[in-house]
């Protein structure tokens, strides 16, 4: 058996830096992803403040230990073989949300749904589109998350990292992408500039979007939302349906019949099932339409090239 990178000594050192109870060894990532699948992270560390983030980042970098920053795991597929490295998840002070006039400053670990709710409570409009996106602020900025005609790029003014703030014009926000996909920096928070609005109208809009989601999306099953990016001038779900793949499955991983753009976990799917299904759907859609679908879901760990 290959030697493990993350040894007991490393776990001990991480516990010194982050606190005994905030470092979990061999933690199943099925508990931390909305797909509810995935192997074990050799170390899973909750990072509750800037000092801990600095200490842990310096340690893993200096020891060349692989690490990955997880948000809410709502766009994440972790290999069945797990991840022999350190998965960091921000918590504690990174969950704070502050309001100053029409500006909201949210920590990267704050839920984007809660941030949108706080905006509504304060009569601020602009984040309604995010009210059904089950990610963190960090994950939403990283992905430039969007829905129903709105996206993070419409409201963000800057993002924070341990190396300093990055202004909107340097965030390189485009469809489901940001500069963080290139620079690998940790997002610690973001500022959203909203507009004063009518609380009742904001809530009405949020309710309307919620009903649309409930009607169109298989929210009763674990998933990572849309599995594939929207191809230019088309829709992934439509192409998948036209390729005859509605309900197509590998094990308990299944193309939702309610919304073909969603791969869902019908109960006991494994990460391997999900991955194989994603590859089969990609190949069959390519065969049928000539269009290559690109996964939107972020994959972590080793996956056999299929
Ligand atoms: C039911 C459902 C519906 C969804 N609907 C939508 C939708 O309408 N629109 C949409 O855009 N998405 C949607 N998604 C997908 C997902 O919620 C978004 O992509 C979300 O932004 C991911 O955030 P997260 O915190 O869960 O990130 P994760 O899934 O944990 O991570 C995603 C990526 O972000 C990176 N990341 C996370 N936090 C940080 C940080 N602090 N610093 C640096 N990098 C970080 C991770 O390293 C990873 O590469 C949906 C998902 C589900 C399950």
């Amino acid at each position: 058996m290959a030697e493990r990178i993350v040894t007991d000594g490393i776990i001990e050192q991480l516990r010194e830096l982050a606190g005994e109870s905030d470092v979990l060894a061999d933690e199943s990532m099925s508990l931390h992803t909305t797909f509810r699948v995935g192997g074990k992270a050799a170390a899973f560390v909750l990072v509750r403040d800037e000092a801990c983030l600095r200490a842990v980042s310096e340690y893993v970098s200096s020891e060349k230990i692989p690490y990955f920053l997880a948000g809410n795991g709502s766009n994440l597929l972790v290999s069945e073989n797990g991840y022999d490295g350190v998965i960091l998840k921000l918590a504690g002070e990174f969950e704070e949300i502050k309001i100053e006039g029409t500006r909201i400053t949210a920590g990267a670990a704050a839920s984007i749904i809660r941030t949108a709710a706080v905006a509504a409570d304060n009569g601020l409009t602009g984040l309604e589109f995010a009210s059904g996106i089950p990610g963190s602020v960090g994950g939403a900025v990283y992905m430039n998350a969007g829905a129903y005609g709105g996206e993070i790029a419409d409201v963000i003014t800057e993002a924070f990292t341990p190396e300093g703030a990055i202004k909107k014009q340097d965030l390189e926000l485009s469809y489901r992408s940001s500069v963080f996909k290139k620079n690998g920096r940790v997002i610690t928070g973001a500022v959203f500039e909203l507009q004063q609005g009518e609380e009742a109208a904001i809530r009405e809009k949020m309710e309307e979007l919620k009903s649309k989601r409930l009607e169109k999306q298989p929210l009763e099953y674990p998933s990572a939302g849309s599995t594939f990016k929207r191809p230019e001038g088309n829709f992934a779900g439509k192409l998948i349906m036209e390729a005859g793949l509605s309900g197509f499955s590998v094990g308990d991983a299944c193309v939702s019949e309610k919304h073909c753009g969603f791969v869902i976990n019908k109960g006991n799917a494994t990460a391997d099932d999900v991955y194989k299904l994603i590859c089969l759907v990609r190949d069959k859609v390519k065969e049928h339409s000539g269009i290559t679908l690109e996964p939107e879901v972020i994959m972590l760990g080793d996956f056999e090239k299929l």
Side-chain angles (χ1 to χ4, degrees), residues 103-172:
R103 176 187 300 233
I104 295 198
T105 303
S111 126
I112 191 76
I113 291 179
R114 194 163 65 85
T115 309
V118 169
D121 291 345
N122 287 273
L124 297 177
T125 179
L127 265 180
E128 293 89 331
F129 76 88
S131 60
I133 302 178
S136 64
V137 164
V141 172
Y142 181 95
M143 296 298 300
N144 184 24
Y148 302 112
E151 59 177 9
I152 290 294
D154 300 337
V155 283
I156 193 167
T157 59
E158 61 185 322
F160 302 121
T161 76
E163 296 81 14
I166 305 180
K167 293 274 173 218
K168 180 185 176 177
Q169 63 267 26
D170 298 319
L171 288 173
E172 297 178 21

Side-chain angles (χ1 to χ4, degrees), residues 193-210:
E193 183 65 59
L194 306 177
Q195 282 171 1
Q196 207 61 55
E198 281 284 324
E199 192 180 331
I202 295 165
R203 291 201 187 282
E204 198 181 313
K205 179 84 188 163
M206 283 163 79
E207 279 305 312
E208 180 199 323
L209 298 184
K210 189 173 160 193

Side-chain angles (χ1 to χ4, degrees), residues 199-231:
E199 192 180 331
I202 295 165
R203 291 201 187 282
E204 198 181 313
K205 179 84 188 163
M206 283 163 79
E207 279 305 312
E208 180 199 323
L209 298 184
K210 189 173 160 193
S211 308
K212 277 193 185 165
R213 272 188 196 268
L214 282 169
E215 188 198 329
K216 297 258 157 61
Q217 302 182 354
L219 300 181
E220 60 279 28
Y221 290 104
S223 78
S226 298
T227 314
F228 297 95
K229 289 185 184 170
R230 195 178 57 229

